[in-house]
Amino acid sequence: AANSSAKWRIVLGSEASDALEHIERPVVAEDGLAWGYLGDRQGRTIASVNGHTVGEYEWARDLAFSPNGKRYAFFARKADRAFVVTEAGETELEVVMDGSLVFSADSQHWACVVGVTASRELRISVDGTLGPRLEVDELVAPMTQQPRGRDSAVPASPEILRRLVLARVTDFIKTR
């Protein structure tokens, strides 16, 4: 990412993206062949994959690629509706937990943590289908760590949440 005149651009070789006010961390697929970013411009979020705009939303976060690099997904919001957006389209969800979006090891399924307001519970959603319920302590305990000599917990690596979701989705897929 390059910054000029308080605007940010993604630069790859001699190509540069449009100027954006903010860019969420660029993401590269495990195989290195796919890349993308989410960037804000004039109150909207632009989603870009492999140098092509794939959507514009009121809000978008958490871009992820499948292990084989052929699929992408991210959270988005428009008109007070939350979605997981993939290369195949949009799947509406009630409430999504930022930082929880993952793909299964075989690249066939996406999953994330969702909130279900009617039952006041957290669940894993697999391809938009509600999966296993998550207990709050199951979710919070791995995401905080208690350093020696400190009275308050501090956030652990954000990757821990993704690992928890991936473990739960792997188990869920085996039982379907």
Side-chain angles (χ1 to χ4, degrees):
N3 184 337
S4 64
S5 306
K7 300 285 184 179
W8 289 92
R9 297 177 188 272
I10 296 292
V11 179
L12 187 63
S14 62
E15 301 293 316
S17 70
D18 292 336
L20 300 165
E21 290 133 17
H22 172 267
I23 296 175
E24 189 174 277
R25 66 176 171 77
V27 179
V28 179
E30 286 179 31
D31 65 5
L33 299 177
W35 60 278
Y37 62 89
L38 303 170
D40 298 331
R41 180 177 58 214
Q42 298 174 349
R44 309 275 297 162
T45 302
I46 309 300
S48 178
V49 173
N50 295 326
H52 302 285
T53 299
V54 297
E56 187 172 327
Y57 301 89
E58 293 171 9
W59 174 93
R61 291 293 177 264
D62 213 17
L63 176 63
F65 285 99
S66 62
N68 68 9
K70 295 180 180 175
R71 301 189 64 203
Y72 65 84
F74 57 89
F75 294 136
R77 178 171 291 285
K78 62 182 176 183
D80 293 327
R81 295 169 43 216
F83 300 90
V84 169
V85 179
T86 70
E87 73 291 335
E90 298 174 343
T91 301
E92 188 171 353
L93 298 169
E94 194 171 355
V95 177
V96 296
M97 181 176 281
D98 196 15
S100 69
L101 188 58
V102 298
F103 277 93
S104 59
D106 65 3
S107 299
Q108 298 301 308
H109 306 278
W110 58 263
C112 63
V113 176
V114 298
V116 182
T117 56
S119 59
R120 298 178 55 95
E121 62 185 2
L122 295 173
R123 306 275 298 264
I124 299 286
S125 175
V126 180
D127 301 323
T129 300
L130 286 180
R133 184 171 189 236
L134 289 173
E135 299 298 329
V136 172
D137 58 343
E138 178 184 16
L139 188 62
V140 173
M143 293 176 49
T144 59
Q145 52 191 355
Q146 186 84 22
R148 283 200 165 132
R150 302 221 24 211
D151 292 333
S152 61
V154 295
S157 166
E159 193 59 32
I160 291 173
L161 176 58
R162 287 185 179 89
R163 285 189 215 139
L164 171 68
V165 174
L166 187 55
R168 293 297 297 271
V169 77
T170 301
D171 292 343
F172 179 70
I173 290 168
K174 287 178 186 176
T175 62
R176 282 211 284 188

